[in-house]
Amino acid sequence: MNHKMLSKNEKENKQMELIAPCHFGLESVLKREVQDLGYEISQVEDGRVCFYGDAAAICRSNIFLRTAERILVKAGSFRATTFDELFEGVKRIPWEVYIPADGKFWVTKAASVKSKLFSASDIQSIVKKAMVDRMKDHYRIQWFAEDGASYPLRVFIMKDVVTIGLDSSGDSLHKRGYRKHSGVAPITETLAAALIKLTPWRKDRILVDPFCGSGTFPIEAAMMAANIAPGMNRSFTAEHWKNVIPMKDWYRAVDEAHDLMDTQVEVDIQGYDIDHEVIQVARRNAEIAEVDHLIHFQQRDVKDLRHAKKYGFIITNPPYGERLEEKEALPALYRAFGDCFKNLDCWSAYMITGYEEAEKYFGCAADKNRKLYNGMIKTYFYQFLGPKPPKKNKKEA
């Protein structure tokens, strides 16, 4: 996506450090996205990318980032091995900069890894008390009505280092607003987008998902092809942070998203599923995402997978067999899938699955394999790489 890079002036006016959590193992994809938006990376850790940005960056990153789970504004970070240290560390953070006297604030989640403080409920309680203590002194009031805008917080403690961030997103960013209905084992929109970005697929190449379910892979691909920002049709908690973000920054980000859209793009994206009702669900979701004209959905068994075009891509999330009776059908299913793939001339296939014997029944070893978690399920992203198409000469291009 060709976003306008930030000017030197804008870069010099950095005000905040933002934290973007993502799927563990896909940090490099999100890092590239953040850099494409024009922001400077401050740190990349397991499951998160941190970067610098101003108030407008909060708007733009929420609206444009496809692979981030949410955008947090880093309020502070310090070391704590006792609850007293936690209390004092939180109290030192200038909460009045972020939260007005009528703001509603609470800790939505506390997570601790390899740290002496590990009780989530105690961490949440102490953080809230310390914030109230600080704000009592600043606002010179003893009781907070908390009837204004919401300022939810998230606390991470990693090896005794506490990091606190204000959650600007609200609902997770995977909730684009288009998936009103989903199949049995849906893949999240953010994970689907990240996996597509891990492949060399581009909008001028055919893309087929033979197990499309509720249509997440085809819809995310179509949104990428048409440059439709994933956060265009939803709201964010920080829209009400008028003390932190001027409304004009939200309007500008939305205008930028509209300017970049190209809904008349020509693409060949197809989604198949054996279940007629599931295909209907996928079509409805694509309509809500406003990309139904860019995707061909069809009821089709995987054994009928074939295509005349060369150099195509399969990106898919086949059944894992969570239930025993389903597991018994998996060898035949993956064997049929593999047989069809062998007959596709010069194609590449990418599949995420929790089925341990996928390669065996697919009939060939993956060129690359990446272990990922889809929710709490351990999965593998198998990559079967076909040849690159010949380079076009200038006339063809």
Side-chain angles (χ1 to χ4, degrees), residues 23-26 185-188 190-192 194-195 198 217 316-322 327 330 334 350-359 366 368-383:
H23 274 84
F24 184 84
L26 296 172
I187 189 166
T188 66
T190 44
L191 179 54
L195 294 179
L198 275 178
F217 272 127
T316 193
N317 177 34
Y320 305 169
E322 290 304 292
K327 210 153 204 161
L330 292 186
Y334 280 82
Y350 299 82
M351 67 171 160
I352 179 170
T353 177
Y355 184 42
E356 298 278 351
E357 296 190 284
E359 277 179 301
K368 288 182 182 178
N369 181 15
R370 189 185 280 240
K371 187 165 77 174
L372 298 163
Y373 280 86
N374 183 9
M376 298 304 290
I377 304 169
K378 183 172 73 172
T379 62
Y380 302 90
F381 188 48
Y382 294 108
Q383 302 164 59

Side-chain angles (χ1 to χ4, degrees), residues 306-319:
R306 59 182 64 86
H307 210 285
K309 282 188 181 177
K310 295 174 70 168
Y311 304 108
F313 281 77
I314 293 170
I315 305 179
T316 193
N317 177 34

